[in-house]
Amino acid sequence: LDGTVELPKVGVINVSGLTVVELTNKIVSILSKSYLNPFVQIRLTNQRVIVFTGRGKAQVVYLKNQNTSLIEAIALAGGIAEDSKSNSIRVMRKFKNKRREIYKIDLSTIKGIRDASMIVQSEDYIYVDYRPRVANRTIKEAGPWLQVFFSAFSLYAIIRTLTQ
């Protein structure tokens, strides 16, 4: 929680802001003073990314391995929804200076699919743009009312035909 880790016979080490490779090298360097050719293996737990799949839906995806690609993270979040844009995906990544860099991915092209093999990192935000489908939503919402109107109109036409 405070950006440190305590190792037996070494003490407390500040690990805040270090990548896995940087941390491995730092611990190897420290252990090399006391041991010959120390072997260090670091496994991160509680790594996660947040995937916004459109229409206000978001899902936290826990990364089970360090080599999870962008396309795998999207698939783990349920894939790209019907009303989302596969050609407008943004990955927001935080760097040491606390600023976020934005990568734009277009899965509708071969280059975009190649770009989607990028490895996601813990605390990445993945945002899939939403495509408002106004016509579909309007028809879906107006459908029951139109059905009542046309049913009533049909009934009126039948009754009028029968009474003539």
Side-chain angles (χ1 to χ4, degrees), residues 78-89:
I80 296 175
E82 182 181 335
D83 52 0
S84 295
K85 295 180 180 180
S86 65
N87 65 344
S88 183
I89 298 171

Side-chain angles (χ1 to χ4, degrees), residues 6-52:
E6 185 173 354
L7 298 175
K9 299 188 180 193
V10 174
V12 177
I13 300 174
N14 184 17
V15 298
S16 179
L18 297 178
T19 66
V20 173
V21 174
E22 291 170 338
L23 180 58
T24 301
N25 292 339
K26 183 174 184 174
I27 294 173
V28 165
S29 174
I30 292 169
L31 293 175
S32 292
K33 297 173 185 170
S34 303
Y35 301 99
L36 291 174
N37 300 322
F39 175 75
V40 175
Q41 184 177 19
I42 296 175
R43 191 181 73 166
L44 298 176
T45 58
N46 199 23
Q47 286 197 101
R48 61 188 181 267
V49 296
I50 300 174
V51 182
F52 298 90

Side-chain angles (χ1 to χ4, degrees), residues 21-157:
V21 174
E22 291 170 338
L23 180 58
T24 301
N25 292 339
K26 183 174 184 174
I27 294 173
V28 165
S29 174
I30 292 169
L31 293 175
S32 292
K33 297 173 185 170
S34 303
Y35 301 99
L36 291 174
N37 300 322
F39 175 75
V40 175
Q41 184 177 19
I42 296 175
R43 191 181 73 166
L44 298 176
T45 58
N46 199 23
Q47 286 197 101
R48 61 188 181 267
V49 296
I50 300 174
V51 182
F52 298 90
T53 56
R55 276 187 138 188
K57 295 179 184 174
Q59 186 168 352
V60 176
V61 174
Y62 291 92
L63 305 176
K64 295 184 176 149
N65 66 57
Q66 293 178 344
N67 295 320
T68 303
S69 69
L70 171 62
I71 204 155
E72 287 175 303
I74 292 172
L76 288 169
I80 296 175
E82 182 181 335
D83 52 0
S84 295
K85 295 180 180 180
S86 65
N87 65 344
S88 183
I89 298 171
R90 289 186 215 109
V91 177
M92 291 166 253
R93 179 164 292 162
K94 189 185 335 178
F95 287 93
K96 288 182 184 180
N97 59 6
K98 305 289 185 193
R99 295 189 66 218
R100 287 200 179 266
E101 191 167 311
I102 299 174
Y103 302 94
K104 294 180 180 178
I105 309 291
D106 179 357
L107 288 182
S108 67
T109 65
I110 298 297
K111 180 190 178 305
I113 292 173
R114 220 174 315 141
D115 291 343
S117 65
M118 74 184 286
I119 303 301
V120 293
Q121 297 177 6
S122 188
E123 298 186 37
D124 277 356
Y125 296 155
I126 302 165
Y127 179 78
V128 182
D129 273 337
Y130 166 70
R131 175 180 313 155
R133 298 185 180 252
V134 177
N136 287 354
R137 196 169 61 234
T138 303
I139 290 171
K140 188 184 255 185
E141 290 177 11
W145 295 105
L146 290 172
Q147 187 175 8
V148 168
F149 172 76
F150 285 115
S151 296
F153 182 74
S154 298
L155 185 61
Y156 169 76

